[in-house]
Amino acid sequence: MQRANKLCVIGIGYRPLNNGAQEVLRAADVILASSRLFDVFKRYDEYDVVKDRIKVINNVDATIDFIRTALRTPNAELRTIVLLASGDPLFFGIGRRMREEFGKEAVEILPDLSSVQEAFARIKEPWDDALLISLHGGPDPEKRRRLPYELSDIPSLLEMHRKIAILTDKQNNPTEIAKVFNSELRTQNSELIMYVCEKLGYPDEKITRGTPEEIASASFSDPNVVIIMKEGVRGQGAGVKNQNKETTFGLREGDILHERGLITKDEVRAVTLHKLCLPQDGVLWDIGAGSGSVSLEAARLCPGLRVIAVEKEQERINTIRENVKRFSIGNVEIIHGSAPAALAGLPAPHRVFIGGSGGNLGDIIKLLHEKMSSGTIVINAATLETLNEALTALEHNGFSAEVSEISVSRSKPVAGKRLMSALNPVFIVKGDRTLRK
């Protein structure tokens, strides 16, 4: 009986291969590598043994096409595929993409050390209290990945974290990172120090320490890792998610920047978050995020939750960004675009809130049917037509549905007395799906 083809992703760059990785590599029928990793692998003892089986492919999509064809086609001559990766393949690396493309069962991961781990070791600093982010959008300018953070987010992130480590690329490089700071930016009783760790693991690796002003006037070789630290501050780290400690839940409409009343009302937001049954970690999509009020409350309630706010209007994107900075929230990512197109490539959600669909509610729920093996969708509908569309789309796509109508009246003073004034009622539609077999 012919054994199934398999894919093994082996991290390289920082230390010799262990026995398990050596065995897999020597038994491989083909070894895939980019030209950069091919040059790195030439320094390994195993190179001379396997060099005739190495295939260099620089394009990620072409690499995936090659692997997909090999895995799906029984071939007596091509049974074990090795993909060489940089450092730890599951740390902002190709391992995540391989797992998403081919499934956990088809992929084996044998990691090296990560570049960030090496960088902290070089500067002799602990890294268990650091925020780790990637600004590496990929080598192709026309196919750059959506990034959870932008350069402009770094100052606000430093309000919450004493240390930040950043994976860079040629566009988001150390010089550009340093330029987001100015000479007036200082944290309380501390100075900002930047480390640029160039070409880690190469014979010509280099570590540069300097202020943002000094780093902004220099140039650096690729690849590199940037570490930013607030010197003189102790006891702050990745666990400090929110400087607004007065409340973790209960933001008021007046606290949140918004345009012309376009905000989920406080009472409706409270019920919406209850219906979402937020997990402590995982992924929440907030589609049609508006001012970002639901994203803000969810992120504050669950600091380990990855919240992705999707909004098509640039003005509202700017408002969300200002609100995130205003409340010093570090776990909200902002995506500018229209759903469902803007949702392509995002990590699969565990919870979804739809506050606005731009007329594409049916298509959005169809996409969620494909993306979600289980989880909860909550939709706020102001009209009977949207309610009907939501129920139809949810049930057609295998979600059980229930509806609550929220009618809120608020007191207001009239002639020295208090009268109740009704807000427009809102239908809250909850769709659930249990794990598919």
Side-chain angles (χ1 to χ4, degrees), residues 48 65 97 103 174 271 283:
D48 287 333
D65 288 342
R97 180 76 183 273
V271 176
V283 177

Side-chain angles (χ1 to χ4, degrees), residues 7-12 32-34 36-37 57-65 67 82-103 107-112 114-115 134 136 138-139 145 167:
L7 168 65
C8 185
V9 185
I10 298 179
I12 63 171
L32 306 177
S34 66
R36 184 180 77 80
L37 288 173
I57 306 177
N58 283 313
N59 181 278
V60 173
D61 291 333
T63 300
I64 289 172
D65 288 342
I67 295 170
V82 166
L83 174 63
L84 297 182
S86 178
D88 183 347
L90 289 174
F91 183 75
F92 296 115
I94 195 67
R96 181 192 299 271
R97 180 76 183 273
M98 295 299 108
R99 191 188 74 158
E100 290 172 354
E101 292 284 344
F102 305 111
V107 181
E108 183 178 2
I109 306 287
L110 298 175
D112 196 352
S114 73
S115 58
S134 175
H136 195 291
R145 292 183 288 273
L167 296 182

Side-chain angles (χ1 to χ4, degrees), residues 235-419:
Q236 282 182 279
V240 182
K241 296 290 185 181
N242 190 349
Q243 298 299 318
N244 299 280
K245 296 180 184 299
E246 296 84 1
T247 60
T248 56
F249 176 65
L251 292 177
R252 296 168 298 179
E253 292 157 39
D255 298 330
I256 302 169
L257 298 175
H258 59 280
E259 58 170 309
R260 300 185 303 277
L262 294 176
I263 185 171
T264 303
K265 299 299 187 285
D266 294 347
E267 298 86 350
V268 175
R269 192 183 329 124
V271 176
T272 296
L273 289 165
H274 180 273
K275 294 292 185 182
L276 280 167
C277 301
L278 295 173
Q280 286 302 306
D281 53 24
V283 177
L284 165 68
W285 288 2
D286 179 1
I287 301 172
S291 64
S293 62
V294 170
S295 289
L296 298 173
E297 291 267 34
R300 285 158 58 93
L301 277 169
C302 305
L305 187 65
R306 184 177 178 185
V307 181
I308 303 177
V310 182
E311 174 54 54
K312 67 178 181 178
E313 300 294 340
Q314 181 62 58
E315 184 177 351
R316 295 174 196 168
I317 286 286
N318 296 338
T319 299
I320 297 170
R321 189 166 285 121
E322 285 301 314
N323 280 323
V324 167
K325 290 179 180 178
R326 170 180 275 207
F327 295 100
S328 300
I329 295 172
N331 56 324
V332 173
E333 305 168 23
I334 304 169
I335 300 297
H336 183 200
S338 298
L343 308 176
L346 297 182
H350 303 89
R351 301 289 187 272
V352 177
F353 170 62
I354 304 176
S357 64
N360 299 318
L361 185 57
D363 291 336
I364 292 170
I365 294 176
K366 181 179 179 182
L367 174 68
L368 295 175
H369 162 70
E370 298 168 357
K371 280 276 195 178
M372 299 176 72
S373 58
S374 63
T376 298
I377 302 170
V378 173
I379 304 161
N380 284 4
T383 68
L384 291 170
E385 288 78 10
T386 303
L387 170 63
N388 182 61
E389 185 180 6
L391 288 172
T392 301
L394 286 170
E395 291 171 349
H396 179 74
N397 286 282
F399 292 88
S400 61
E402 63 178 46
V403 183
S404 301
E405 182 182 3
I406 307 299
S407 298
V408 175
S409 294
R410 292 177 176 174
S411 65
K412 68 176 184 178
V414 177
K417 299 181 183 294
R418 289 189 183 90
L419 297 180

Side-chain angles (χ1 to χ4, degrees), residues 7 123 197 201 230 272:
L7 168 65
I123 69 171
C197 305
K230 294 188 288 191
T272 296

Side-chain angles (χ1 to χ4, degrees), residues 135 141 144 151 168-174 176-177:
L135 293 180
R144 286 180 64 80
L151 288 171
T168 70
D169 64 11
K170 291 183 179 180
Q171 179 171 318
N172 294 321
N173 58 61
E176 295 302 315
I177 293 170

Side-chain angles (χ1 to χ4, degrees), residues 184-241:
E184 300 302 318
L185 179 61
R186 295 289 183 269
T187 57
Q188 188 175 11
N189 300 320
S190 67
E191 294 284 335
L192 290 181
I193 293 297
M194 293 182 64
Y195 293 88
V196 181
C197 305
E198 302 171 69
K199 304 193 75 173
L200 293 172
Y202 290 77
D204 55 344
E205 77 172 32
K206 181 181 177 182
I207 310 298
T208 302
R209 181 184 186 276
T211 64
E213 294 84 358
E214 292 167 338
I215 300 299
S217 62
S219 59
F220 302 92
S221 301
D222 293 314
N224 60 68
V225 173
V226 167
I227 297 172
I228 309 173
M229 295 180 56
K230 294 188 288 191
E231 294 210 329
V233 176
R234 293 295 179 262
Q236 282 182 279
V240 182
K241 296 290 185 181

